[in-house]
Amino acid sequence: MAKQPKRITAWTGDRDAAHSVEAAIALVKANAKAKFDETIEISVNLGVDPRHADQQVRGVVNLPSGTGRDVRVAVFAKDAKAAEATAAGAEHVGADDLYEKIAGGFMDFDRVIATPDMMALVGRLGKVLGPRGLMPNPKVGTVTPNVAQAVKDAKGGAVEFRVEKAGIVHAGIGKASFTDEALAINVKALIEALNRSKPSGAKGVFIKRVGLSSTMGPGFKVDISSIGA
């Protein structure tokens, strides 16, 4: 058997037990020993089958403590709306010119926002943006006439979530440098958003399992009763 790296053998904490959210956060942070500020990630197993249209789970949540990420935003807008997006802090703003850049391979952004009148143009980038989860969608507030607020939300802690084929939602909920309380607040905000997004076709237990981990560290189970799930 291959010898395990030292960082793995140095991991501490019971990975089989279900911990309160506060205890799980403390364990995750204690094991986040990389030389960079690791992202704290949450995995939520849902009682849904995403193959059915009435069991899709998708939405956006504004994390009260922010994400700790520097989110780069691209906005498709014209005239006054373009000016509003620029003033709000969007890194890339344009219409046909931005379309040409992205079609040519430019991908230096993390979120794409568009005004409704731009969607005919943006739709032609579906094969580029779609697989990366970047296609603007009115359900998560990225197709909107209020581009200034959308840009501020994206930069201030808005996180999109979408259930994967296996019925799991993954999301970053902060950084290892955050306080335990700040991370706990973000966890609970995401769980509340998931509960609000429960689809009509979901039967039985909706939130089945929750786990927390850091970028380079181990995962720990969370007692869902400790987060009101």
Side-chain angles (χ1 to χ4, degrees):
M1 181 180 292
K3 187 176 181 180
Q4 290 186 323
K6 287 183 179 180
R7 68 176 181 83
I8 294 179
T9 58
W11 286 347
T12 60
D14 188 343
R15 298 177 62 193
D16 296 318
H19 306 274
S20 69
V21 64
E22 292 82 7
I25 288 170
L27 286 167
V28 169
K29 289 181 63 176
N31 286 280
K33 299 184 181 298
K35 294 181 180 179
F36 60 92
D37 194 6
E38 296 183 49
T39 296
I40 306 302
E41 302 167 351
I42 190 170
S43 298
V44 185
N45 291 71
L46 300 176
V48 297
D49 184 348
R51 293 175 298 178
H52 301 292
D54 65 348
Q55 295 189 46
Q56 291 292 319
V57 179
R58 184 174 187 179
V60 63
V61 57
N62 287 308
L63 298 180
S65 306
T67 63
R69 291 184 59 205
D70 182 15
V71 178
R72 301 163 300 173
V73 180
V75 178
F76 282 89
K78 290 182 177 179
D79 305 324
K81 294 298 180 182
E84 290 176 16
T86 299
E91 282 79 4
H92 312 288
V93 181
D96 294 281
D97 54 337
L98 183 56
Y99 168 86
E100 294 295 340
K101 285 179 67 176
I102 295 174
F106 177 76
M107 293 297 294
D108 190 22
F109 48 83
D110 307 296
R111 188 74 55 86
V112 180
I113 295 166
T115 54
D117 61 303
M118 288 282 97
M119 285 308 295
L121 178 65
V122 179
R124 289 153 53 189
L125 293 170
K127 291 183 179 179
V128 177
L129 300 177
R132 295 174 171 83
L134 293 171
M135 194 66 183
N137 188 307
K139 292 182 178 180
V140 294
T142 47
V143 177
T144 173
N146 192 354
V147 290
Q149 187 61 51
V151 170
K152 291 175 183 177
D153 288 345
K155 289 183 168 292
V159 171
E160 293 183 33
F161 57 83
R162 185 174 186 175
V163 67
E164 300 174 359
K165 291 181 180 179
I168 302 173
V169 167
H170 293 284
I173 49 91
K175 295 288 187 178
S177 59
F178 281 23
T179 65
D180 292 15
E181 181 182 10
L183 290 168
I185 290 172
N186 279 355
V187 168
K188 292 175 181 178
L190 178 63
I191 295 299
E192 289 173 2
L194 286 172
N195 277 322
R196 289 194 298 270
S197 301
K198 181 178 179 179
S200 59
K203 306 299 180 184
V205 177
F206 180 53
I207 295 179
K208 301 173 71 174
R209 289 182 296 277
V210 177
L212 292 174
S213 63
S214 64
T215 306
M216 302 293 290
F220 292 94
K221 298 175 184 177
V222 177
D223 180 353
I224 58 176
S225 67
S226 70
I227 47 178

